Amino acid sequence: MSGTGARRIRVRVEGLVQGVGFRPFVCGLAGAHGVSGFVGNDPGGVFIEAEGESARLEAFTAGLTAQAPPLALVERVSVEPVEPVGESDFRIVPSRRATGDGTWRAPGGDLLGGARAFSVGDLSVASVSPDAGTCAACLRESRDPGDRRYRYPFANCTGCGPRFTIVTGVPYDRCATTMADFEMCGACAREYGDPGDRRFHAQPVCCPACGPVLRALGADGRVEAGDPVETAARWLEAGRVVAIKGLGGYHLAVLAADGPAVAALRARKRRESRPFAVLAPDAAAARTLVHLDPAAERLLTGTRRPIVLAPRRGDAPVADAVAPGARDLGVMLPYTPLHHLLADRLAAPYVLTSGNLTDEPIAYRDEEALRRLAGVADGFLVHDRRIEAPADDSLVRVFRGRELVLRRSRGYAPAPVGVPWPFPRPVLACGAQLKNTFCVARGTQAFLSQHLGDLESHETLRCFAESVEHFCRLFGVRPAVVAHDLHPEYLSTAYARDREGVDLIGVQHHHAHVASCLAEHGHGGPVIGVAFDGLGLGEDGTLWGGEVLVADLVSYRRVAHLETVPMPGGAAAVRQPWRMAAAWLDRVHGDAPPCLPVAERHREQWPVVVRMARTGLNSPLTSSAGRLFDAVAAVAGVRDVISYEGQAAAELEARVDPGEQGAYPARLIEGEPLVIAAGDLVRAAAEDVAAGTDAGRIAARFHRGLAAAVVRAVRVVGEGTGLRTVALSGGVFQNTVLLEAVVSGLERERFQVLVHSRVPPGDGGIALGQAVVAAANDRR
Amino acid sequence: LAHGAGGKASRTLIEAVFVDAFRSPELQPLDDGATLDLGTGRLVLTTDAYVVSPLFFPGGDIGDLAVNGTVNDLAVCGARPMYLSAAFVLEEGFPIADLRRIAASMAAAAGRAGVRVVTGDTKVVQRGKADGCYVTTAGVGALERPITLGESQVRPGDAVIVSGPIGEHGITVMIARGDLDIEADLTSDTAPLHDAVAALLDAVPVRMMRDATRGGVATVLNEIARGAGVAVTVDERAVPVRPVVSGACELLGLDPLYVACEGRFVAVVDGDHAEAAVAALRRHPVGEGAAVVGSIEPGPPGMVLLNTAFGGTRIVDLLVGDPLPRIC
Ligand SMILES: [Fe+3]
Ligand SMILES: [Mg+2]
Ligand SMILES: [Zn+2]
Ligand SMILES: [Zn+2]
């Protein structure tokens, strides 16, 4: 084929190109264009040498990006000419691994295909792709009685199946996954080796003859006879709690319509009222549960298969205990053949919630899961494919037709976030304390970890430390710079300070929030950043959370914030929003408080809490927007005590009366920084409560009033600085009512507004912000 | 300001300033007293400065604290407390009656502890340059038992004992100071511990002891975990806390594990003798509420893990300064 005019090129493809059927695709592409050569994986991505006529090579190279497989994400294709060698075929060659001297070599030690060694420094690192929901072709097979994978729960192909959760190392090959435990049968090996097959080089390929086996275990751990899916379905129909081993860990399931079963699950999981997600058999069934707009339906049916939060239908066939007090319901579709089989058999939605006790990380190792879930689950639906990395279900909602990720985990992690500013040295950013994720970064890629949970628990901290090591190995990052929050008692901060031989960079919490939004948009600032959240330590030792900053990636200035109040009892004031009501009402009314129901409900403790606020006894000061929501929720009679983070604010949002057009006024108090007199909002809410106004209107007037105050503060800052771009971040902006009001207000003022989409606005996104701030300071 | 809270900030201060300045083999920043070998026998020497507001509180005053605190520091080093010195820094205009009252309670406390105050000093500073009255005591005790105590003796499998219900002193003082209108049937736990300690040493093999003053039991447990390179696991339900204290802690938003005691100590003993240790302590009034609260595990080293009533495992960290919420 290498006749006259033949040229040869060496191609490097970077991005999400491993574990997505990229090499078979390259083979097919080479065949289509009549090009010879070879393709293989290395820790940097995919390497190719191709030989043929110029026009054919050009078409081939263009096709690498234009026709890439659905799960691939090609970030860069670089081409260099080499001497033609005159091959006749195109083949897949073995993967190359890194060697100690910084060159890449084949596993056998020989350099392959005439390729010369090149140094690690030239490479960005190959991405391990996220897990993908079962594709239509695999689903068809699992429903076809004539297929050899009929009803096989672990079918997958190059277009779907487990990835990140089973990968043990790079490059992505079967031996570097937990599928290494299973030897392929002849039929699977033929599919694996056939360039024309959908399973050509699909690393987790398997079938009933050679792959993982599903079992149903009773509460005593003994194997139940009969079809495991049928057994589990009967358990669920009998109202039992069943633990199901999924892709990223163990889940607990009950039938969603079964009130007593849902209540039993809540009691055993010790989860009082935080909403559960529901798995619907298919999109049609999902539509009976929630109102789906086209964007939500696209997210629901896409390959990432997150939980999608959408407005619950009044007649949704689920028990009230599934999502008490919530306007929305979290719905997902099956994402493995196992979940499809169970859903098809039940023909009804079932609750699927992570297999843990509240506040613990998801259980994913078999022995540990059986031990931790004993007494919680009545039966287990398990299999023998190990989970290497835990991943909870991701959680998303829609804002203005775009995805807004609230929890970024299965299906999303560890896809890198590309940034336009190269990291001068490898960075590890340790994230926050709650909803922790961390971030490792090198080159122009930031790998934000899956959601790990709250670091208060030792299990989560251990999982955090192990996951950091895993990510560093997978992505070839040896951190030289370690970024952390300023809060000295975050366990992520303590972890950072214990790392040796690195440069530590402390990043203020709200600066990191704003920077995470900038990084997601590839915007370097300066911008006006509005960071509204629960709490984060400010540089002045008070707790911030209602902040307007002028920020770029290097630094920030606090230009405005919500009025500061004491939090009587510290963390107790977070758990008991009525304490914030006491602090705020004391602030606005002093010694002549009106007699409000919230004060009546806490008659005995109220005076003590007010005195604590006044004397400052265990009452740190805060400018938090989250605590302001808490205070108003308690004043309005919506929520006095919470059982999960953000509950009062979420319930206040759910109560907003969409028809209400009023807004409470709030003054801006001139100064450096400018202060938003949030007390005005509390006073107005209290007056409305005294006048008998209903909670829905109070909630609406508060949301609209706060948004208007924020917009006015930003306008003042914009006039002073000339800045016209605003970035919105922080957990409070998960609230789409507030977000919509702030965004539309800013747009009316002709500001350009940056909001989150793929990176969570809450503390789950903070590690990315820390990483880019650390890099910006490292670059200087 | 945060340096007085008894947690990580005070430790950092001590390590940064004093350990460096004084460099001596006897100076161990975490020990309550120094053991001095005189050739003819071993002595323990300790000193402590006492600052408390208010000076008088239910169950005691700064005088009791100054005697009991130093007696207890000697006792938990394994020594028999013998002699004290006392020095006073007084603000100009401090009422003589109050000073008499403090001196009287010091004398009474010394009598109960079987020690004598043998020397002292008094300085008066200008009004506004001090907060009423500060007391510093030093103490000397004889180390008569042929034993070695300390973190180096701690082994996995050992049991962790708390000598009585925790947090009463700290909460009492806070209520007295805070003008909070809380009605609580609560007095400071300030008491001399030497008899209970001696009984414990007679009864079982003891690895180490420490009195849980500022920073509370949580701080002592962290010192043990870090100093010995072990993990300390604690069962939340086993920690003795009187309901009136847990109720007040709930109201004030405090964790009793971090609240100061002035008459409680933590002991690490051979795990096989845990019950005997508790039985020995319970024979003394100050040890009536003694309990095994946890155990020493090989790892994760340096960590204190609390098995919560809900079945989870929470990390009990050393506080850096005044507690600030980490949750949001
Ligand atoms: Fe935050
Ligand atoms: Mg002392
Ligand atoms: Zn497939
Ligand atoms: Zn097979």
Side-chain angles (χ1 to χ4, degrees), chain A residues 435-739:
Chain A
K435 305 191 166 172
N436 177 275
T437 66
F438 62 85
C439 181
V440 297
R442 76 194 295 282
T444 56
Q445 292 181 318
F447 300 92
L448 188 58
S449 80
Q450 77 274 33
H451 164 89
L452 295 173
D454 299 348
L455 294 183
E456 305 273 286
S457 118
H458 172 58
E459 282 86 356
T460 316
L461 185 66
R462 198 185 57 194
C463 181
F464 168 87
E466 287 172 2
S467 300
V468 168
E469 294 312 314
H470 188 56
F471 267 63
C472 287
R473 256 193 330 270
L474 282 189
F475 303 115
V477 176
R478 196 176 298 157
V481 176
V482 174
H484 61 82
D485 196 274
L486 296 186
H487 199 309
E489 281 156 26
Y490 279 6
L491 290 169
S492 51
T493 304
Y495 173 88
R497 289 186 174 163
D498 282 345
R499 302 258 323 192
E500 276 165 22
V502 296
D503 290 330
L504 286 179
I505 297 184
V507 182
Q508 199 279 325
H509 192 92
H510 302 92
H511 186 205
H513 270 309
V514 172
S516 75
C517 188
L518 291 178
E520 181 170 5
H521 291 276
H523 195 300
V527 295
I528 302 168
V530 181
F532 273 22
D533 69 353
L535 298 171
L537 188 60
E539 63 193 10
D540 62 355
T542 67
L543 294 158
W544 294 4
E547 310 307 310
V548 182
L549 312 176
V550 166
D552 58 17
L553 299 178
V554 175
S555 62
Y556 71 95
R557 196 157 51 85
R558 190 190 198 200
V559 289
H561 60 82
L562 295 186
E563 187 179 351
T564 299
V565 285
M567 284 172 66
V574 181
R575 292 187 294 268
Q576 302 172 6
W578 68 265
R579 287 176 184 251
M580 291 312 302
W584 270 115
L585 290 172
D586 185 54
R587 161 66 53 83
V588 298
H589 289 120
D591 286 321
C595 189
L596 287 177
V598 64
E600 266 309 295
R601 290 195 295 273
H602 303 278
R603 185 180 327 110
E604 279 181 19
Q605 297 170 314
W606 193 272
V608 177
V609 166
V610 167
R611 272 175 199 256
M612 284 174 71
R614 287 185 188 178
T615 58
L617 175 61
N618 196 27
S619 300
L621 296 175
T622 187
S623 52
S624 160
R627 298 292 82 77
L628 176 67
F629 269 85
D630 285 356
V632 173
V635 167
V638 171
R639 174 63 51 190
D640 285 353
V641 176
I642 60 166
S643 69
Y644 64 90
E645 197 208 329
Q647 181 178 11
E651 292 181 1
L652 192 66
E653 180 194 357
R655 292 289 277 274
V656 167
D657 176 349
E660 171 60 41
Q661 294 302 306
Y664 297 138
R667 288 164 300 147
L668 294 184
I669 300 165
E670 295 278 335
E672 284 283 335
L674 192 66
V675 171
I676 299 169
D680 292 355
L681 303 172
V682 180
R683 186 188 294 110
E687 282 164 9
D688 264 356
V689 169
T693 311
D694 76 57
R697 304 178 79 165
I698 294 173
R701 290 171 181 174
F702 166 69
H703 275 78
R704 298 166 57 84
L706 178 60
V710 169
V711 170
R712 274 188 295 121
V714 169
R715 187 174 63 202
V716 170
V717 173
E719 282 161 2
T721 58
L723 295 171
R724 301 306 303 162
T725 306
V726 184
L728 306 180
S729 191
V732 167
F733 286 113
Q734 298 184 14
N735 178 327
T736 45
V737 173
L738 182 74
L739 186 60

Side-chain angles (χ1 to χ4, degrees), chain A residues 148-149 183-189 205-211:
Chain A
R148 66 192 192 86
R149 291 192 180 83
E183 199 181 329
M184 272 184 249
C185 68
C188 285
V205 70
C206 58
C207 74
C210 67

Side-chain angles (χ1 to χ4, degrees), chain B residues 93-176:
Chain B
F94 186 70
I96 292 292
D98 283 356
L99 192 57
R100 284 222 169 84
R101 200 171 148 196
I102 292 168
S105 58
M106 286 181 80
R112 279 194 298 276
V115 297
R116 278 185 287 158
V117 179
V118 293
T119 181
D121 185 35
T122 304
K123 294 278 186 304
V124 178
V125 297
Q126 283 170 19
R127 212 178 274 272
K129 298 280 164 101
D131 187 8
C133 169
Y134 303 147
V135 184
T136 296
T137 52
V140 173
L143 198 54
E144 293 154 336
R145 297 165 194 270
I147 52 168
T148 309
L149 297 173
E151 282 134 358
S152 59
Q153 308 302 305
V154 171
R155 304 274 176 278
D158 288 348
V160 179
I161 289 169
V162 168
S163 68
I166 64 173
E168 290 165 21
H169 173 76
I171 294 294
T172 301
V173 169
M174 228 173 284
I175 291 174

Side-chain angles (χ1 to χ4, degrees), chain A residues 219-296:
Chain A
D220 55 1
R222 277 215 297 267
V223 180
E224 301 276 326
D227 176 46
V229 172
E230 180 60 29
T231 305
R234 289 205 183 131
W235 280 335
L236 289 170
E237 284 169 344
R240 308 255 175 84
V241 176
V242 180
I244 301 173
K245 184 177 177 184
L247 270 183
Y250 280 71
H251 284 94
L252 293 166
V254 292
L255 280 185
D258 187 339
V262 175
L265 177 58
R266 285 209 176 277
R268 295 189 208 170
K269 214 178 124 90
R270 297 199 170 91
R271 177 151 143 171
E272 212 172 280
S273 50
R274 190 164 163 209
F276 286 134
V278 168
L279 184 142
D282 53 31
R287 277 183 234 110
T288 69
L289 300 172
V290 289
H291 298 285
L292 287 174
D293 62 21

Side-chain angles (χ1 to χ4, degrees), chain B residues 258-277:
Chain B
Y258 291 93
V259 177
C261 315
E262 286 292 344
R264 305 286 179 246
F265 69 103
V266 175
V268 180
V269 305
D270 186 324
D272 295 336
H273 297 82
E275 290 314 316

